[in-house]
Amino acid sequence: MNILKINNLELTYKNGHQAIQNMSLEVKNGMFGLLGPNGAGKSSLMKTIVGLQKPSSGTIEFNDVDIVEHTDYIKKNLGFLPQDFGVYPKVNAYDLLNHIANLKGINYKSERQKQIQYLLEKVNLLDFRDKEVHKFSGGMKQRFGVAQALLGNPKIIIVDEPTAGLDPEERNRFNTLLSDISKEVVVILSTHLVEDVKNLCSEMTIMNKGQILKTGKPKELIKELEGKVWSKFIENDELEMYQSSLKVISQQLMERQLQITVFAATQPEGFSQVDPILEHVYFNVLSQNK
Ligand SMILES: Nc1ncnc2c1ncn2[C@@H]1O[C@H](COP(=O)(O)OP(=O)(O)OP(=O)(O)O)[C@@H](O)[C@H]1O
Ligand SMILES: [Mg+2]
């Protein structure tokens, strides 16, 4: 079992912006979801874990090794798929993986060949090994990104919004691949897609403004809301009135009528009870942090 421990982590950028505030977290093998709106600090946290930036204070340990100090240890054991991979050079998939494998310190050619062959097959890109990566579709690029992250058999894999921009089929394929990998290693996934977290993650945290607001198992967090979520169809111009008197956690236009969902300990008049879903958890937690 691998374990990542983050304790009282703080990160303040040079311009004074505090992107991570007093964050503590423990992550074990399996898929861990980091959920939060734009600017919540997900990428900042991930870049700090992978060692691209130093925290202002606090500790990060992986398998009891201080990885802020011992960056070699994390480099050897980590795979990272950044939110923005940048520009791909004009080389084919095989050669690029070979180059990255070299950088990762896989020194023997036969070992590199073995791993690259295995990974290209795993991410379904073997037929495209001679194609230049910059000509790949978005989904193929993301699967290539997973292959490069998996070189060197890492024990922890960090993927920053990997399914943004993928069509539903590619998204499914990608998610299945990740979930398969996460059986033996720590996978930390950031996303704004609540549904992906529900389907994939055994543990999750909701963060905003650099702080953790809630951590737990998706199923248990949903259970906490049972009997407290209500909905009603209203007229468009009634929304403000409801917002001022109730905690509205979502609103959805259904055939020109507005359906609002609210969080309340007891049944508000005219509302009917609905089964809570993870999206309710997410918006409920965020609405407490406005
Ligand atoms: N290098 C930097 N210097 C200064 N501020 C930064 C820097 N990088 C990020 N920030 C700020 O830190 C906050 C968190 O940004 P971050 O990119 O970590 O959020 P995020 O949760 O990944 O958002 P998104 O969902 O849009 O990717 C934002 O307010 C952002 O503007
Ligand atoms: Mg980000």
Side-chain angles (χ1 to χ4, degrees):
M1 177 60 82
N2 299 292
I3 181 159
L4 178 78
K5 284 184 200 160
I6 295 173
N7 256 309
N8 305 108
L9 198 72
E10 305 259 343
L11 174 77
T12 304
Y13 284 115
K14 282 196 189 97
N15 65 1
H17 182 79
Q18 204 179 359
I20 303 176
Q21 297 176 43
N22 196 23
M23 205 175 266
S24 295
L25 209 55
E26 206 171 281
V27 187
K28 292 180 183 156
N29 281 14
M31 193 105 99
F32 189 93
L34 268 187
L35 203 54
N38 289 125
K42 303 179 295 295
S43 297
S44 297
L45 175 63
M46 292 182 143
K47 285 192 236 166
T48 311
I49 299 170
V50 306
L52 286 173
Q53 54 201 18
K54 286 250 180 235
S56 314
S57 62
T59 59
I60 312 174
E61 289 176 1
F62 186 61
N63 294 346
D64 293 325
V65 177
D66 175 345
I67 56 171
V68 177
E69 281 300 313
H70 302 280
T71 47
D72 286 6
Y73 181 78
I74 194 67
K75 272 194 197 128
K76 221 169 58 197
N77 290 294
L78 173 120
F80 180 41
L81 178 55
Q83 184 167 10
D84 182 7
F85 206 84
V87 186
Y88 285 92
K90 286 188 178 172
V91 287
N92 70 42
Y94 189 94
D95 289 346
L96 188 52
L97 285 177
N98 192 43
H99 175 68
I100 297 169
N102 262 318
L103 292 178
K104 281 197 172 177
I106 309 169
N107 294 324
Y108 293 104
K109 192 175 173 194
S110 58
E111 179 57 28
R112 287 199 302 274
Q113 280 173 337
K114 202 174 93 193
Q115 283 199 25
I116 294 170
Q117 176 83 13
Y118 169 78
L119 288 172
L120 281 174
E121 209 175 313
K122 187 160 184 144
V123 302
N124 235 330
L125 287 176
L126 199 54
D127 291 346
F128 303 97
R129 51 170 280 165
D130 296 322
K131 191 175 164 121
E132 291 177 13
V133 182
H134 73 104
K135 289 182 184 160
F136 278 2
S137 72
M140 288 161 81
K141 278 184 185 153
Q142 287 309 76
R143 281 187 275 132
F144 177 85
V146 171
Q148 66 75 29
L150 287 174
L151 281 168
N153 298 315
K155 296 187 179 121
I156 173 166
I157 294 161
I158 295 189
V159 285
D160 197 355
E161 283 189 42
T163 55
L166 299 191
D167 69 37
E169 200 183 334
E170 276 288 8
R171 204 174 114 204
N172 275 342
R173 203 180 301 175
F174 186 89
N175 285 343
T176 309
L177 177 65
L178 272 192
S179 132
D180 189 30
I181 295 161
S182 72
K183 286 175 194 138
E184 286 151 46
V185 300
V186 174
V187 177
I188 302 180
L189 162 90
S190 86
T191 181
H192 337 236
L193 298 172
V194 182
E195 202 174 317
D196 278 358
V197 172
K198 193 193 90 204
N199 295 337
L200 296 168
C201 300
S202 45
E203 292 277 333
M204 64 177 284
T205 195
I206 300 172
M207 59 185 285
N208 196 18
K209 298 177 189 164
Q211 288 176 314
I212 289 177
L213 305 178
K214 191 109 195 165
T215 299
K217 296 186 192 310
K219 269 192 199 133
E220 286 171 11
L221 297 181
I222 292 171
K223 214 163 174 219
E224 282 177 15
L225 289 194
E226 261 170 28
K228 295 173 189 159
V229 185
W230 316 87
S231 86
K232 185 182 183 181
F233 284 100
I234 62 163
E235 299 299 328
N236 278 332
D237 57 7
E238 292 175 325
L239 180 62
E240 251 177 62
M241 180 189 85
Y242 282 104
Q243 277 173 327
S244 65
S245 59
L246 286 163
K247 195 165 154 193
V248 178
I249 52 179
S250 79
Q251 42 185 295
Q252 199 176 12
L253 206 54
M254 306 260 279
E255 291 172 10
R256 271 185 273 149
Q257 259 222 308
L258 197 59
Q259 185 181 30
I260 57 168
T261 308
V262 304
F263 175 82
T266 54
Q267 184 171 21
E269 207 188 313
F271 280 75
S272 44
Q273 193 172 318
V274 291
D275 287 334
I277 55 173
L278 196 59
E279 212 151 285
H280 298 148
V281 175
Y282 179 66
F283 287 115
N284 185 41
V285 166
L286 284 186
S287 70
Q288 290 162 1
N289 181 247
K290 282 245 165 80

